[in-house]
């Protein structure tokens, strides 16, 4: 009996030693990472707000790592081209992606033959900022709050237009969701980007739109547009006097996934030790005072979580936005 117990103990010890030795190369690789430049794929063209944020993050991360973090802009297909390149890269820590709500939760529902599965083909690391769209109207629209805007839209259906950056974008889906929640007969006017849409709201060519705080603020200060509500579960520190839609009398947006984000992802198959190291370095980069200042200047909110939490969040976000797409009657194309 003692001999049998001894044999069992020996087998367990040998197995534990084998497991430890098998994990050693991954732990060693994680400790040594990075030994060469890291590529950060940004799925948008250079110069826009997302690119500015990504480059600020890349500088902060590079300073921590002692290696260059090279921004690789790969725009197109609503961000799908760039994040697909991440999904197809080697899971060695030298390719990271600057993902956002559209690339993981919205586009797969509105684009046919999507090139990757956001729930399988990428490794979530952490979000770095949260933000939300703001409902704004042209100064000539006689509405001071959302309820007045809905009443005006119902009384003036031909004039109740809202612009967006294109079909399937977050500001398009926001308008469709508002229609579902309020019954307002809003007419969607898609543009090739949110910039031209905002220009037409300011000029009075369209009545309203949904856009991010950093774009809204200068026009709101000039009085050319009027913010009515933020499509978030909480107020924005950049626009503290603007109520949430729940506060404005229309709950439902936060449950539908209205909070938006940018975050860091890597290819699927990343070793756990390396994921832990990348996550730790990302948190350090995001939490540096100069990075926090950049985030707040751009009217974003700093936001991080663990890889496991982020994976669960993306799965839930994917399901929530799928419901919004279906409620809007959009078909993959």
């Amino acid at each position: 009996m003692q001999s049998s117990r001894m044999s069992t103990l020996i087998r367990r010890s040998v197995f534990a030693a084998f497991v430890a030795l098998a994990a050693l190369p991954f732990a060693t690789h994680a400790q040594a990472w990075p030994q060469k430049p890291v590529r950060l794929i940004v799925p948008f063209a250079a110069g826009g707000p997302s690119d500015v944020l990504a480059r600020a993050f890349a500088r902060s991360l590079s300073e921590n790592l002692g290696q260059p973090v090279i921004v690789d802009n790969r725009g197109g297909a609503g961000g799908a081209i760039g994040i697909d390149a991440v999904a197809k890269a080697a899971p060695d820590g030298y390719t990271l992606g600057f993902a956002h709500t559209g690339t993981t939760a919205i586009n797969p529902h509105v684009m046919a033959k999507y090139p990757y599965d956001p729930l399988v083909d990428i490794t979530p690391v952490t979000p770095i900022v949260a933000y939300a769209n703001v409902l704004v109207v042209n100064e000539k629209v006689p509405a001071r709050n959302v309820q007045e805007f809905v009443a005006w839209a119902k009384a003036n259906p031909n004039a109740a237009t809202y612009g967006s950056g294109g079909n399937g974008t977050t500001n398009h889906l926001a308008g469709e969701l508002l229609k579902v929640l309020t019954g307002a007969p809003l007419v969607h006017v898609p543009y090739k980007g949110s910039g031209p849409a905002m220009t037409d709201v300011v000029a009075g060519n369209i009545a309203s739109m949904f856009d991010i705080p950093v774009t809204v603020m200068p026009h709101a200060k000039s009085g050319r547009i009027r913010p009515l509500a933020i499509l978030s579960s909480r107020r924005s520190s950049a626009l503290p006097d603007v109520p949430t839609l729940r506060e404005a009398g229309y709950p439902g947006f936060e449950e539908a996934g209205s909070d938006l984000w940018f975050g860091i992802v890597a290819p699927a198959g990343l070793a756990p030790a390396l994921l832990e190291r990348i996550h730790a370095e990302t948190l350090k980069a995001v939490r540096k005072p100069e990075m926090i200042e950049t985030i707040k200047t751009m009217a974003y909110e700093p936001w991080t979580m663990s890889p496991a939490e982020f994976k669960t969040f993306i799965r839930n976000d994917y399901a929530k936005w799928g419901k919004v797409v279906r409620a809007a009657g959009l078909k993959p194309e």
Side-chain angles (χ1 to χ4, degrees), residues 83-170:
I83 301 303
D84 184 47
V86 176
K88 289 179 170 56
D92 56 9
Y94 291 100
T95 299
L96 303 175
F98 200 72
H100 77 123
T101 310
T103 59
T104 59
I106 298 176
N107 296 349
H109 298 291
V110 298
M111 296 174 63
K113 297 181 180 179
Y114 206 63
Y116 62 91
D117 185 339
L119 305 182
V120 175
D121 298 331
I122 58 175
T123 297
V125 178
T126 180
I128 64 171
V129 298
Y131 65 106
N133 283 317
V134 180
L135 169 60
V136 301
V137 296
N138 176 267
E139 60 179 335
K140 295 180 181 177
V141 173
R144 297 286 171 177
N145 55 55
V146 181
Q147 292 183 348
E148 290 180 0
F149 176 64
V150 170
W152 173 82
K154 291 179 177 179
N156 301 272
N158 293 330
T161 51
Y162 80 95
S164 80
N167 290 322
T169 56
T170 60

Side-chain angles (χ1 to χ4, degrees), residues 25-311:
F26 297 105
T28 302
H29 176 61
Q31 291 171 359
W33 177 88
Q35 295 182 316
K36 60 181 182 180
V38 175
R39 179 175 56 152
L40 178 65
I41 295 180
V42 178
F44 303 101
S50 56
D51 179 62
V52 172
L53 178 64
R55 289 178 184 275
F57 168 74
R59 285 193 299 271
S60 185
L61 182 62
S62 177
E63 290 168 1
N64 289 350
L65 299 179
Q67 287 282 358
V69 176
I70 301 169
V71 172
D72 182 359
N73 294 95
R74 296 205 185 183
I81 291 174
I83 301 303
D84 184 47
V86 176
K88 289 179 170 56
D92 56 9
Y94 291 100
T95 299
L96 303 175
F98 200 72
H100 77 123
T101 310
T103 59
T104 59
I106 298 176
N107 296 349
H109 298 291
V110 298
M111 296 174 63
K113 297 181 180 179
Y114 206 63
Y116 62 91
D117 185 339
L119 305 182
V120 175
D121 298 331
I122 58 175
T123 297
V125 178
T126 180
I128 64 171
V129 298
Y131 65 106
N133 283 317
V134 180
L135 169 60
V136 301
V137 296
N138 176 267
E139 60 179 335
K140 295 180 181 177
V141 173
R144 297 286 171 177
N145 55 55
V146 181
Q147 292 183 348
E148 290 180 0
F149 176 64
V150 170
W152 173 82
K154 291 179 177 179
N156 301 272
N158 293 330
T161 51
Y162 80 95
S164 80
N167 290 322
T169 56
T170 60
N171 43 19
H172 170 210
L173 294 178
E176 295 302 312
L177 185 55
L178 187 64
K179 288 165 63 174
V180 171
L181 292 176
T182 67
L186 302 177
V187 179
H188 177 222
V189 183
Y191 289 77
K192 293 182 178 179
S194 294
M198 178 58 77
T199 298
D200 268 6
V201 176
V202 172
N205 296 325
I206 55 175
S208 65
M209 77 171 293
F210 303 80
D211 209 354
I212 58 177
V214 70
T215 307
V216 167
M217 289 190 297
H219 300 299
K221 288 179 180 177
S222 73
R224 303 294 300 279
I225 63 173
R226 188 180 307 117
L228 300 184
I230 188 162
L231 282 57
S232 174
S233 57
R234 57 197 176 278
R235 293 195 182 199
S236 168
S237 59
L239 295 166
D241 296 330
V242 178
T244 67
L245 266 176
R246 176 178 286 277
E247 293 173 328
Y250 296 98
F253 263 80
E254 57 266 40
E255 291 85 353
S258 61
D259 288 299
L260 311 174
W261 54 270
F262 285 106
I264 305 302
V265 299
L270 200 67
L274 183 54
L275 172 58
E276 184 179 344
R277 176 74 196 285
I278 293 172
H279 178 258
E281 293 297 341
T282 298
L283 295 190
K284 289 180 187 176
V286 171
R287 292 171 178 172
K288 290 167 71 173
E290 53 269 37
M291 186 64 195
I292 293 292
E293 184 63 27
T294 296
I295 289 171
K296 292 192 172 183
T297 298
M298 297 186 71
Y300 295 121
E301 305 288 341
W303 187 41
T304 60
M305 60 177 69
S306 72
E309 290 170 332
F310 194 25
K311 183 175 182 178

Side-chain angles (χ1 to χ4, degrees), residues 105 109 254-257 313 315-326:
H109 298 291
E254 57 266 40
E255 291 85 353
F313 173 83
R315 187 171 296 276
N316 292 337
D317 210 34
Y318 179 91
K320 289 178 180 180
W321 280 103
K323 291 179 182 178
V324 175
V325 169
R326 289 188 291 275

